[in-house]
Amino acid sequence: MESTKRFRITPSALLGISAGMILAHALLNTLFPGAGFTISYLLWSFWSLAAAVACAWRALHCQVSVRTHWWLAAVSLFLIFFAEAIGAPAEIFFKAVPTFAQIGDFVFFSSFVPILLAITLPEEGVLVRFTFVLDCLQAAACACLAYTVLFGALPFTSEPAQAIAYAPLEYVYDTEYLVVVLLAALRYFLGTREASDRYFFRSLLLYCWLYAMCSGIYNHHNGKYSLTNGMDALNDIPSAALALAAIFAPAAATYASSRASRSTVLRLIDNARPVFLSLALIGLSAIVALRHYAVAFAFIFGAFILYSLRTSMLHS
C-alpha cells in the first residue's frame, strides 16, 4: 500500500508533465524547423489519442446520465487521431499537398460532428437509442454534404479537389468554432442541472473554447502558408486539456442524485434537433444538386425516410 501511494501521479504533477511536453514541442519546432512536420504530427497524434483514451476510460467510470456523451467525445478525438495518422505521410515524407479529396480530409472535417451530437443529445435517462441512431445518420449525411459543398468533391472518391479559396475557408472554420462554443455555453449555463452533467459540459465548453482559439490562431498564421514553427504547439492544448479533465473528473460515486425536472432549453433542443438536421440535409442537398444531382436526390430522399421513421416511432 505504501509503494502504491508513493508512485501515484498527482493532478499537479500530470499537469506539469503536460505543460512541459507542450513547451518542448514549441522549442523543438523552433530549433529544428526541418523536422517540424514530423515532430508536430507525432505530438498532435499523441495528444488526440491520449484524449480519446481518457474520454473512453471516463465513459466507463462516470454517471450513466453522461456516458454516451463521454463516448461521443472519445469518438471525436479518435477521428482527429485517425485523420492525422492518414495525412502525416504526405506531409512528412513527400512534402506534398494532395490535389484530390482524401479519406483523412473528410474524417478530420467530420471530427466535430460527435461533439455537436454530445452537446445536443439529452441525458442518458431520456435518450432513446433509436432516435440517437437516426440523429447520427442525419449528422453524418450533413457532414458529407457540407464537405462536398466546401471542397468540391464527394468524400471517399478520387475526384480533383475544388475547394473554395483558403481565405474564406478560414472564416468558415471560424464560424463553425464560434457556433460550437456558443452551443456548448448554452447547454452548460442554461440546460444542465446535475453535477455530473455540468462537469462534462464544463469540460466540453473548455475544450471547444480552447480549440476555437488555438486553431483559429494557427489557421490564420501557419496553416495558410503550410509553415511549421513553435506555434504548432498551440494545437496540443485543447486535446491535453480535455484529457486531463477526463482523467481527473470526480468519481461517479461522489455525485449525489439530484435529478430535477428537465429545463425548457433541453426540451427545446430535443424538439429542434431533428428539424434542424432535416432542413440542413435538404438545404445542402439543393446546393450539391448543381454538380451531383443523383447524390443530392438520394440524400433528400433519405432525409424524408429518416424523418418518417422518427414520426412513426413517436406515434407508435
Side-chain angles (χ1 to χ4, degrees), residues 227-246:
L227 297 175
T228 176
N229 54 39
M231 291 183 68
D232 286 9
L234 286 173
N235 291 329
D236 298 345
I237 297 174
S239 299
L242 186 58
L244 292 172

Side-chain angles (χ1 to χ4, degrees), residues 285-308:
S285 296
I287 299 174
V288 173
L290 297 175
R291 290 189 58 204
H292 305 281
Y293 178 79
V295 173
F297 179 80
F299 274 106
I300 293 176
F301 185 69
F304 280 112
I305 290 178
L306 292 176
Y307 195 81
S308 300

Side-chain angles (χ1 to χ4, degrees), residues 255-299:
Y255 292 113
S257 179
S258 60
R259 178 70 64 193
S261 59
R262 305 185 74 230
S263 69
T264 303
V265 172
L266 288 185
R267 290 194 292 270
L268 178 63
I269 290 173
D270 289 348
N271 292 327
R273 183 178 61 253
V275 176
F276 172 78
L277 288 172
S278 297
L279 290 176
L281 268 176
I282 295 172
L284 290 168
S285 296
I287 299 174
V288 173
L290 297 175
R291 290 189 58 204
H292 305 281
Y293 178 79
V295 173
F297 179 80
F299 274 106

Side-chain angles (χ1 to χ4, degrees), residues 50-62 67 70-71 74 243-251:
V53 172
C55 290
W57 177 81
R58 177 52 55 193
L60 299 174
H61 299 84
C62 69
R67 183 163 296 162
W70 278 113
W71 278 119
L244 292 172
I247 291 172
F248 296 117

Side-chain angles (χ1 to χ4, degrees), residues 86-109:
I86 293 175
E91 292 276 6
I92 294 173
F93 299 112
F94 306 111
K95 312 294 184 187
V97 178
T99 58
F100 58 90
Q102 293 189 327
I103 296 176
D105 299 325
F106 173 69
V107 171
F108 187 82
F109 179 80

